[in-house]
């Protein structure tokens, strides 16, 4: 991508083309806001931040739940040239304090939480949407004055070691990555996106705020997904005619198990709906069951907080168990052990708290994911390099075992973890969620199939039965938590 996109001009055009159109619906508060109103409140909130003493290159942390005000504050910060660090309000207090200590922030905007800090703290209640005179369309010329290459967003990822890493991006990275993905889907004014992911994580910012804005689409804000609201998941999407969803595998699985009503099924059969899937691997059983139940085609994609969007299935080309074809300008290769190594034009700038040099080789990012590309250029994720189990000197892929076990109808969920063993070096430990009374017979049946299909080295050494497998907010299996709980080292 040699020619830089003029983002200021693009945003100017987006707002001028849609000035009186609705941009955001707040389904939880029954509010709606046009592009003109959105821009007006951006400038109002920017003024409030300036009154608080903030200036270009200062850092503001947001410890705030999903809200219309939070979206506006993100863009007010962009106009002021601030660095923003969203922090998930549902994290534990120790982890929140750890992230805040790493952030070196100038201002913390918070809600209903006690924080020990000698920095400037301001309640989100100071930022309210109230009736005001709307600005003239000529004001959007100010988009052209923003430096979109400056540091804008820092999101923290958990990391396999448990130490959070602050991933630094410019707004340009988010914008250009969104444009690259949209070449596969051609989203437009006709698309109405449903936002129910945390706005403190990359998927809640890139996938469901920046991408819809870039595509001149509408956003409907619903409740952040959790167990308690899966039974009435479809209420807000139906009310606001949502037709575009970003699912994570956890949401798909919860809907299959907990959605006992027919309104979602009836709605999805009548409407032309689209389901995009990201943040964690999607197993083929879940995909098939969901598409059969709801008649919504699912298109899995692949990306990381560091690389943003990398690949995706699309209307034109898709393949089961694949994460699709590479987006334009993405370069990808593999190491000797099949680790995926990536170069993208929208690569993150650095880590906030650790040196990023160890994560690159010849300007290509070492993803830690294992994969392959088939003869039709579809990318497949086959596992994690750091999750490889070395049993008796043999490299074992946990994902191969997990995929095989999920074919058993009496298994709802599974994960495979390696644990130290004095004789083998590592042994294979299987954590499963069965839907029947699980006995020794089922263990023998599983192991016979594992050995038959994968070989004797893949024989499972130990089983644990769980009610559910712990996952992170993005739907990824929380293996560090499993290791800690079961004392596996």
């Amino acid at each position: 991508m040699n020619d830089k996109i003029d983002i200021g001009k693009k945003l100017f055009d987006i707002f001028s083309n849609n000035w009186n159109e609705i941009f955001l619906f707040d389904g939880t508060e029954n509010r709606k806001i046009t592009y003109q109103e959105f821009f007006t409140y951006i400038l109002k909130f920017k003024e409030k931040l300036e009154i608080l003493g903030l200036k270009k290159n200062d850092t503001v942390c947001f410890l705030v739940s999903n809200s219309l005000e939070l979206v506006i504050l993100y863009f007010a910060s962009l106009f002021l040239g601030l660095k923003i660090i969203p922090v998930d309000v549902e994290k534990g207090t120790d982890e929140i304090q750890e992230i805040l200590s790493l952030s070196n922030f100038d201002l913390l905007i918070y809600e209903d939480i006690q924080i020990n800090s000698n920095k400037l703290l301001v309640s989100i209640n100071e930022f309210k949407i109230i009736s005001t005179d709307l600005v003239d369309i000529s004001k959007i010329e100010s988009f052209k004055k923003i430096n979109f290459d400056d540091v804008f967003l820092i999101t923290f990822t958990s990391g396999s070691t448990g130490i959070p890493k602050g991933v630094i991006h410019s707004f340009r990275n988010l914008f250009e990555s969104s444009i690259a993905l949209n070449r596969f889907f051609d989203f437009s004014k006709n698309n109405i996106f449903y936002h129910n992911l945390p706005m403190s994580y990359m998927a809640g910012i890139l996938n469901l705020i920046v991408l819809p804005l870039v595509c001149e689409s509408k956003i409907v804000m619903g409740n952040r997904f959790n167990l308690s609201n899966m039974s009435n998941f479809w209420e807000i999407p139906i009310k606001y005619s949502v037709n575009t969803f970003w699912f994570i595998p956890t949401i798909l699985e919860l809907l299959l198990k907990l959605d006992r009503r027919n309104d979602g099924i009836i709605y999805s059969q009548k409407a032309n709906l689209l389901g995009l899937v990201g943040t964690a691997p999607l197993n083929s059983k879940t995909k098939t069951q969901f598409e059969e139940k709801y008649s919504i085609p699912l298109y899995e994609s692949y990306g990381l907080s560091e690389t943003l969007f990398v690949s995706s299935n699309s209307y034109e080309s898709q393949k089961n168990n694949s994460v699709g074809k590479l987006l334009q300008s993405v370069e990808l290769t593999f190491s000797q052990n099949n680790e995926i190594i990536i170069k993208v034009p929208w690569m993150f700038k650095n880590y906030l708290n650790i040196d990023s040099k160890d994560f690159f080789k010849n300007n290509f990012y070492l993803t830690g994911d294992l994969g392959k590309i088939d003869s039709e250029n579809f990318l497949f994720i086959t596992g994690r390099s750091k999750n490889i189990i070395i049993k008796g000197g043999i490299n074992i892929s946990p994902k191969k075992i997990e995929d095989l076990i999920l074919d058993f109808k009496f298994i709802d969920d599974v994960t495979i973890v390696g644990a130290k063993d004095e004789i083998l070096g590592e042994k294979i430990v299987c954590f499963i969620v069965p839907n029947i009374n699980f006995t020794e017979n089922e263990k023998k049946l599983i192991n016979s199939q594992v050995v038959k299909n994968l070989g004797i080295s893949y024989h499972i050494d130990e089983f644990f039965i769980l009610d559910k497998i712990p996952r992170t907010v993005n739907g990824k299996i929380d293996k560090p938590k499993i290791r800690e709980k079961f004392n596996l080292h």
Side-chain angles (χ1 to χ4, degrees), residues 149-166:
D149 295 295
D150 285 344
V151 172
F152 169 60
L153 173 66
I154 304 171
T155 54
F156 277 88
T157 63
S158 297
S160 58
T161 61
I163 301 171
K165 295 182 293 187

Side-chain angles (χ1 to χ4, degrees), residues 224-462:
R224 174 174 170 169
F225 83 92
N226 58 43
L227 277 172
S228 65
N229 60 37
M230 283 297 111
S231 60
N232 62 347
F233 175 88
W234 295 101
E235 186 176 311
I236 292 175
I238 291 172
K239 181 178 179 180
Y240 293 94
S241 302
V242 169
N243 56 25
T244 309
F245 297 84
W246 265 104
F247 292 114
I248 65 174
T250 301
I251 293 177
L252 300 175
E253 291 159 5
L254 288 175
L255 284 172
L256 287 171
K257 292 173 185 175
L258 302 178
D259 181 19
R260 305 300 183 194
R261 295 159 56 171
N262 290 323
D263 51 350
I265 295 173
I266 295 169
Y267 178 63
S268 58
Q269 288 174 343
K270 289 181 179 178
N272 184 24
L273 306 185
L274 167 66
L276 301 124
V277 185
T279 76
L282 172 65
N283 70 66
S284 56
K285 179 190 286 188
T286 300
K287 182 179 189 295
T288 300
Q289 290 177 348
F290 188 87
E291 289 180 335
E292 287 177 354
K293 180 176 180 177
Y294 292 104
S295 306
I296 301 175
L298 298 178
Y299 298 93
E300 191 173 4
S301 61
Y302 173 65
L304 303 167
S305 292
E306 291 86 350
T307 63
L308 307 182
F309 296 126
V310 170
S311 67
S312 183
N313 288 283
S314 66
Y315 306 130
E316 301 298 325
S317 59
Q318 60 175 314
K319 187 175 285 189
N320 273 353
N321 298 316
S322 162
V323 292
K325 295 186 176 182
L326 301 184
L327 306 186
Q328 184 175 317
S329 301
V330 172
E331 299 176 56
L332 184 147
T333 185
F334 300 93
S335 68
Q336 288 186 339
N337 70 341
N338 296 322
E339 180 180 3
I340 299 170
I341 308 174
I342 296 173
K343 188 176 182 180
V344 295
W346 43 84
M347 185 69 72
F348 76 118
K349 289 177 173 288
N350 209 330
Y351 289 119
L352 179 69
N353 53 318
I354 59 174
D355 193 342
S356 64
K357 291 179 183 176
D358 294 339
F359 294 83
F360 284 87
K361 184 177 182 180
N362 299 325
N363 294 320
F364 278 71
Y365 180 72
L366 305 169
T367 65
D369 290 321
L370 304 178
K372 63 180 181 180
I373 286 184
D374 69 8
S375 58
E376 296 177 281
N377 290 319
F378 282 93
L379 176 64
F380 293 80
I381 308 300
T382 58
R384 285 286 291 170
S385 60
K386 60 188 68 175
N387 288 337
I388 287 295
I389 299 169
I390 304 177
K391 179 180 176 182
I394 304 296
N395 284 5
I396 303 295
S397 167
K399 189 173 187 301
K400 287 184 178 180
I401 306 175
E402 292 163 354
D403 288 345
L404 191 150
I405 292 175
L406 280 169
D407 285 336
F408 288 94
K409 292 183 178 179
F410 57 83
I411 300 297
D412 284 339
D413 205 358
V414 62
T415 190
I416 298 291
V417 176
K420 283 187 179 179
D421 185 89
E422 290 183 4
I423 298 173
L424 299 170
E426 282 187 291
K427 61 182 178 181
I428 299 172
V429 183
C430 177
F431 294 86
I432 54 170
V433 180
N435 53 42
I436 62 168
N437 181 30
F438 193 79
T439 68
E440 288 295 324
N441 289 332
E442 282 74 37
K443 290 181 186 179
K444 290 177 182 177
L445 178 61
I446 288 173
N447 256 329
S448 66
Q449 286 296 106
V450 168
V451 171
K452 178 182 176 182
N453 287 274
L454 302 176
I456 189 64
S457 297
Y458 282 77
H459 182 275
I460 297 167
D461 301 293
E462 197 169 358

Side-chain angles (χ1 to χ4, degrees), residues 32-260:
K32 60 184 178 182
I33 187 169
T34 64
Y35 279 81
Q36 182 184 21
E37 291 169 328
F38 185 59
F39 191 81
T40 297
Y41 288 114
I42 289 173
L43 297 187
K44 290 291 183 185
F45 283 17
K46 172 178 174 283
E47 288 176 8
K48 286 192 176 185
L49 291 171
E50 288 175 312
I51 291 170
L52 290 168
L54 291 183
K55 57 188 183 305
K56 184 176 173 61
N57 295 323
D58 281 348
T59 299
V60 56
C61 284
F62 296 97
L63 189 55
V64 178
S65 300
N66 286 13
S67 65
L68 192 51
E69 287 80 5
L70 182 58
V71 179
I72 296 168
L73 276 165
Y74 285 170
F75 283 89
S77 300
L78 176 67
F79 267 79
L80 195 50
L82 303 178
K83 305 167 189 174
I84 66 170
I85 303 181
V87 185
D88 187 4
V89 293
E90 295 190 7
K91 285 185 178 294
T93 53
D94 288 348
E95 192 170 4
I96 289 173
Q97 288 288 2
E98 182 179 18
I99 291 174
L100 293 179
S101 67
L102 294 169
S103 300
N104 191 29
F105 60 87
D106 299 285
L107 167 68
L108 171 66
I109 298 177
Y110 68 95
E111 68 173 54
D112 300 330
I113 192 165
Q114 296 296 318
I115 293 294
N116 297 319
S117 175
N118 57 3
K119 300 291 185 70
L120 180 60
L121 309 180
V122 174
S123 169
I124 186 64
N125 294 326
E126 297 296 318
F127 296 87
K128 286 294 182 184
I129 296 176
I130 55 177
S131 296
T132 185
D133 293 335
L134 299 179
V135 298
D136 185 78
I137 196 170
S138 62
K139 293 287 186 180
I140 61 174
E141 283 283 347
S142 53
F143 272 123
K144 300 176 182 179
K145 299 176 183 177
I146 298 173
N147 187 337
F148 295 100
D149 295 295
D150 285 344
V151 172
F152 169 60
L153 173 66
I154 304 171
T155 54
F156 277 88
T157 63
S158 297
S160 58
T161 61
I163 301 171
K165 295 182 293 187
V167 183
I168 301 173
H169 278 287
S170 65
F171 189 84
R172 176 175 297 282
N173 287 351
L174 307 180
F175 197 97
E176 292 188 348
S177 178
S178 297
I179 285 180
L181 181 74
N182 196 36
R183 290 192 180 102
F184 276 23
F185 291 99
D186 198 25
F187 298 128
S188 67
K189 295 181 180 183
N190 297 322
N191 290 89
I192 305 173
F193 284 77
Y194 187 50
H195 198 317
N196 66 334
L197 298 180
M199 290 180 182
S200 50
Y201 287 82
M202 184 59 76
I205 299 170
L206 171 66
N207 304 29
L208 287 168
I209 298 175
V210 179
L211 175 64
L213 174 62
V214 167
C215 303
E216 301 184 41
S217 305
K218 294 178 174 60
I219 301 170
V220 173
M221 291 170 44
N223 293 304
R224 174 174 170 169
F225 83 92
N226 58 43
L227 277 172
S228 65
N229 60 37
M230 283 297 111
S231 60
N232 62 347
F233 175 88
W234 295 101
E235 186 176 311
I236 292 175
I238 291 172
K239 181 178 179 180
Y240 293 94
S241 302
V242 169
N243 56 25
T244 309
F245 297 84
W246 265 104
F247 292 114
I248 65 174
T250 301
I251 293 177
L252 300 175
E253 291 159 5
L254 288 175
L255 284 172
L256 287 171
K257 292 173 185 175
L258 302 178
D259 181 19
R260 305 300 183 194

